[in-house]
Amino acid sequence: MKTRKFDPVGWIVPILVIAVWWAVTRFGIVAPYQLPSPQTLARVLVDFATGWYGLTPYAGTMFLHLWHSLYRVLTGFALAVVLGLPLGFATGRVRLLRRLFDPFLGLIRSVPGIGWLPIAIVWFGVGEGNTRFLITLAAFFPIYLNTMQGAAGVPDLTVRAGRMLGARGLTLFATVIFPAAFSQIAVGLRLGLGVAWAYLVLGEVTGVTEGLGAVMTDGRMLGQVDIVLAAMIVIAIAGKLTDWLLCALCRCISPTVRKGGRNA
């Protein structure tokens, strides 16, 4: 998980996409109600954040909706971490527990997220509980699987060396197993956070009144594609920023990652 320097090559594709986007809207290849121009979308984004132009019913409400969405993502992700990390370490280090839990969890993981939506609504109702359940469920499996693989992949020689130096129990875990497995764990955390943002939209389109997913649903029903795209862009930026913060936290936690010995 090394800190990346600015790479101008990474801007080539976005610039090309914006150029094509401008061309197809400028010359009428795509109707404005299907795809607004980059200039129009930029104004809608500014209006969404500031309310300067009053272009949509959501003028000036971006930070309110972002806060609600961010809170749901972080609480659901935190619950997935609390469940996924201990279970992943347990099944990764204890073969009997892996044989006991892994087949059952594999069956649950095989059900697509949209398949859980009806039963989630029955169990938790429409709104906060349903959304948080879907986010937690989605984020749990990447965290659990990568933690299990990381814990299981710690060489026995490394563990024996730690014991020879006097490490036992929690000390052995904190000084040997956890650092050795952390690069794999960090991958799972990043994947889990990413799918948490994806499942946020699935949860918020089912009845909540505040949140970026709710804005997207209302915008679609009102035929305002511009506000739908604006909400998508805000989600993309928020997801990227939270991923960056998670990477920074992982570098602080793990000496191996901080030294750049392994990449997550």
Side-chain angles (χ1 to χ4, degrees):
M1 197 187 300
K2 297 179 181 178
T3 303
R4 297 180 180 179
K5 297 180 179 179
F6 174 76
D7 184 6
V9 176
W11 288 90
I12 293 177
V13 173
I15 291 173
L16 288 175
V17 169
I18 293 175
V20 173
W21 176 11
W22 174 84
V24 298
T25 54
R26 173 66 177 81
F27 298 106
I29 300 175
V30 178
Y33 72 89
Q34 294 178 315
L35 181 66
S37 67
Q39 306 95 298
T40 300
L41 184 57
R43 281 172 54 86
V44 171
L45 268 171
V46 172
D47 183 60
F48 190 26
T50 64
W52 289 347
Y53 308 116
L55 299 175
T56 71
Y58 310 99
T61 63
M62 185 189 78
F63 293 104
L64 172 65
H65 292 293
L66 176 59
W67 162 248
H68 284 280
S69 294
L70 183 62
Y71 178 75
R72 292 173 186 132
V73 167
L74 294 183
T75 52
F77 176 71
L79 184 55
V81 171
V82 169
L83 296 174
L85 286 184
L87 189 58
F89 274 114
T91 55
R93 298 305 303 170
V94 182
R95 186 178 297 274
L96 177 61
L97 292 179
R98 191 186 316 174
R99 293 170 58 192
L100 183 64
F101 285 102
D102 202 49
F104 174 70
L105 293 175
L107 290 174
I108 296 178
R109 185 167 60 92
S110 300
V111 180
I114 192 68
W116 285 100
L117 183 58
I119 195 67
I121 294 175
V122 173
W123 287 347
F124 301 100
V126 176
E128 295 292 333
N130 164 56
T131 304
R132 199 162 289 117
F133 169 77
L134 292 173
I135 293 172
T136 302
L137 182 68
F140 168 81
F141 288 106
I143 295 171
Y144 161 73
L145 289 172
N146 281 275
T147 302
M148 181 183 69
Q149 292 296 328
V154 177
D156 291 337
L157 182 62
T158 302
V159 177
R160 287 199 298 269
R163 287 173 176 160
M164 289 178 62
L165 294 173
R168 295 289 187 276
L170 290 177
T171 302
L172 180 67
F173 171 80
T175 60
V176 177
I177 297 175
F178 181 80
F182 189 76
S183 290
Q184 186 74 25
I185 296 169
V187 173
L189 292 173
R190 293 184 67 188
L191 290 172
L193 183 60
V195 296
W197 278 105
Y199 275 68
L200 166 77
V201 177
L202 178 62
E204 287 187 336
V205 299
T206 57
V208 297
T209 57
E210 294 174 322
L212 296 171
V215 172
M216 293 171 63
T217 301
D218 292 345
R220 177 187 61 82
M221 296 178 65
L222 295 173
Q224 292 184 302
V225 179
D226 47 9
I227 195 63
V228 175
L229 292 174
M232 290 172 61
I233 292 173
V234 175
I235 289 174
I237 295 172
K240 183 62 178 178
L241 288 176
T242 52
D243 178 70
W244 180 82
L245 290 173
L246 179 61
C247 289
L249 177 62
C250 289
R251 286 194 295 270
C252 293
I253 292 174
S254 172
T256 302
V257 173
R258 185 168 62 244
K259 292 178 181 178
R262 295 182 182 181
N263 294 333

